[in-house]
Amino acid sequence: MSFILKEAFKLVLRSKLNFFLNMISLTLCVILIAISFYLIRASKYLQEYVQQNVNLNIFIKDNLSTDTLNYFQKKLNEQAYTAKVEFISKDKAAEIFLKETGEDFRKILDYNPLPASYTLYLNKDYMNKDSLEKIISSIEKEAIVTEVVSRMDFFQKIISFSERIKFYIFIFTGFMLLVSVYLVYSTVKLIMNSKYDELETMKLVGAKLITIKLPIIINIIFIGILSGIISLSVFYTTVTFFKIDWSLFISITGFNFPLFVAILILAGPFIGSLVTIIALRKISLRV
């Protein structure tokens, strides 16, 4: 076993440039694979968040009777698109405004300018642009309604932007994966060509096939592990430098640190060893 390990590390010294190129490409590939993995999870979270938080704010006229308010709320509750309806009185609206802005307009004005409103939560089947436009149009026709406000366009823009970013990262990840595969494959071929006479001698003295192949495989696995360690260092430096909010990151991506470390550490060796095994498949004990 010591012979195999020595041979594996000798390969590093013999092809320093290829070692460096393999390490850089695998490091970038591993980082991008990890980013892609968590982007998928973040995108799923974002879509679920939108589904849970898309609602309509229905603003109504002042000085309406209790019967009128109850009738309108009952009418909303009977609609197929309604999941839940909440009434926000003028006083409640003032409390929310004070909590969100920290400004108390009552110190300046002797009346409450904020209108009462209903918050309408929609069923999932109606959380699309076409359905939303029809719902808003029908509600705006009600005599007591002054305005209907939706944040659907804003959420749709966020989702669209995240999908575009995810697409470009997937493309770049695929490109880096191909570069990594090519460099690993080329390195293995280069090693085989440079050690051709040595390999032929080992065959003649009866060396086992595993003894010939294993040093090359271990060399690439070592590069992969080193790439994973560098990726972890890059990740830690980024988090520390930008002071990323861990609680927000975890809630958005469902971040699992052991899983993340496993992806970074194992992705490089897995890609490298798989390509190496494929590249070495033609080696046989036939002289």
Side-chain angles (χ1 to χ4, degrees):
M1 189 65 186
S2 60
F3 167 77
I4 292 174
L5 292 175
K6 286 178 182 178
E7 285 295 309
F9 286 104
K10 279 182 183 178
L11 293 175
V12 175
L13 299 175
R14 288 177 183 172
S15 51
K16 293 178 182 178
L17 179 60
N18 282 305
F19 173 81
F20 179 75
L21 290 174
N22 275 311
M23 186 177 65
I24 294 299
S25 65
L26 275 175
T27 299
L28 287 173
C29 186
V30 167
I31 290 173
L32 288 169
I33 286 172
I35 291 173
S36 299
F37 176 77
Y38 279 100
L39 267 178
I40 292 171
R41 300 187 69 157
S43 177
K44 183 180 179 182
Y45 168 85
L46 187 61
Q47 290 174 352
E48 290 176 353
Y49 177 84
V50 169
Q51 287 184 337
Q52 293 170 3
N53 290 274
V54 169
N55 54 61
L56 300 179
N57 294 313
I58 306 168
F59 296 99
I60 57 176
K61 295 176 181 178
D62 292 336
N63 304 317
L64 295 171
S65 67
T66 303
D67 289 342
T68 302
L69 295 174
N70 289 338
Y71 173 77
F72 183 66
Q73 183 165 348
K74 181 182 177 183
K75 187 175 181 180
L76 287 175
N77 279 318
E78 289 174 350
Q79 304 304 313
Y81 53 72
T82 301
K84 185 175 65 172
V85 179
E86 289 181 359
F87 176 68
I88 300 175
S89 65
K90 290 173 68 69
D91 291 338
K92 182 67 174 176
E95 290 177 14
I96 294 171
F97 181 84
L98 178 61
K99 184 178 179 181
E100 291 182 350
T101 65
E103 299 178 4
D104 190 355
F105 58 82
R106 290 171 292 192
K107 294 179 180 178
I108 302 172
L109 303 174
D110 57 0
Y111 68 97
N112 183 353
L114 300 175
S117 64
Y118 291 94
T119 300
L120 173 62
Y121 296 90
L122 302 173
N123 286 318
K124 290 182 179 181
D125 294 340
Y126 295 88
M127 288 182 184
N128 57 74
K129 190 174 181 179
D130 291 338
S131 296
L132 205 62
E133 287 176 352
K134 291 178 182 178
I135 293 168
I136 291 173
S137 178
S138 66
I139 293 174
E140 284 178 334
K141 293 176 182 177
E142 297 290 335
I144 69 170
V145 175
T146 58
E147 186 181 11
V148 181
V149 177
S150 168
R151 292 186 295 171
M152 185 66 174
D153 288 341
F154 172 70
F155 284 131
Q156 288 287 359
K157 286 178 182 177
I158 293 176
I159 291 175
S160 178
F161 177 75
S162 69
E163 289 296 326
R164 284 200 300 271
I165 294 295
K166 187 170 68 173
F167 173 76
Y168 291 129
I169 288 179
F170 281 175
I171 294 295
F172 192 53
T173 301
F175 172 74
M176 286 309 304
L177 182 60
L178 289 174
V179 169
S180 300
V181 168
Y182 174 76
L183 286 174
V184 171
Y185 188 85
S186 298
T187 300
V188 173
K189 289 295 183 182
L190 185 66
I191 291 170
M192 289 169 61
N193 290 333
S194 65
K195 294 186 64 177
Y196 179 80
D197 292 336
E198 187 179 337
L199 292 174
E200 291 300 312
T201 302
M202 291 176 71
K203 291 178 185 179
L204 289 171
V205 298
K208 293 182 179 179
L209 195 59
I210 192 70
T211 307
I212 299 172
K213 291 183 176 183
L214 205 53
I216 303 173
I217 296 172
I218 290 174
N219 172 260
I220 299 297
I221 289 175
F222 172 71
I223 295 173
I225 292 172
L226 195 58
S227 299
I229 294 171
I230 294 171
S231 302
L232 274 175
S233 301
V234 170
F235 174 77
Y236 177 78
T237 303
T238 303
V239 169
T240 305
F241 181 78
F242 290 103
K243 297 179 180 178
I244 295 173
D245 186 341
W246 272 106
S247 59
L248 178 63
F249 183 73
I250 291 170
S251 65
I252 290 176
T253 63
F255 183 80
N256 183 305
F257 188 72
L259 177 62
F260 183 74
V261 172
I263 291 173
L264 291 182
I265 297 296
L266 298 178
F270 175 77
I271 294 169
S273 58
L274 183 63
V275 175
T276 304
I277 290 169
I278 293 171
L280 294 173
R281 70 189 187 281
K282 291 184 179 180
I283 291 182
S284 67
L285 292 176
R286 288 179 294 181
V287 180

